[in-house]
Amino acid sequence: SGFAAPLAGIHPLTDTDEALQANTADYRLVRIRRSAARTGPGGPGELAWLWPLMVFFLAPLTLYLLLTRPRR
């Protein structure tokens, strides 16, 4: 679980098996399975053309706003 386990007080590399089992007793595991390919209309790639457009317009705007904001 990367950085989240130590933040929750769980140390999987140093805790004993008993402590690890006690700390994670109420955890639930969720498995997500793809039942069908999601391509074409309605799929995740349908709006893929939007990302370059947003970057093209928003990146220069963000840079402009960061460079022209008043300094403290």
Side-chain angles (χ1 to χ4, degrees):
S1 59
F3 70 91
L7 291 176
I10 301 169
H11 305 281
L13 297 177
T14 57
D15 284 352
T16 64
D17 288 343
E18 292 79 19
L20 197 57
Q21 188 172 2
N23 287 335
T24 59
D26 60 341
Y27 278 24
R28 299 292 178 253
L29 179 64
V30 176
R31 178 181 292 186
I32 300 172
R33 284 191 218 164
R34 184 178 69 175
S35 59
R38 295 290 299 168
T39 58
E46 185 177 15
L47 298 176
W49 61 271
L50 198 55
W51 286 104
L53 188 66
M54 287 187 344
V55 169
F56 181 75
F57 285 109
L58 293 180
L61 177 64
T62 304
L63 186 60
Y64 171 77
L65 293 174
L66 287 174
L67 293 176
T68 60
R69 68 181 174 150
R71 304 277 183 220
R72 289 186 188 190

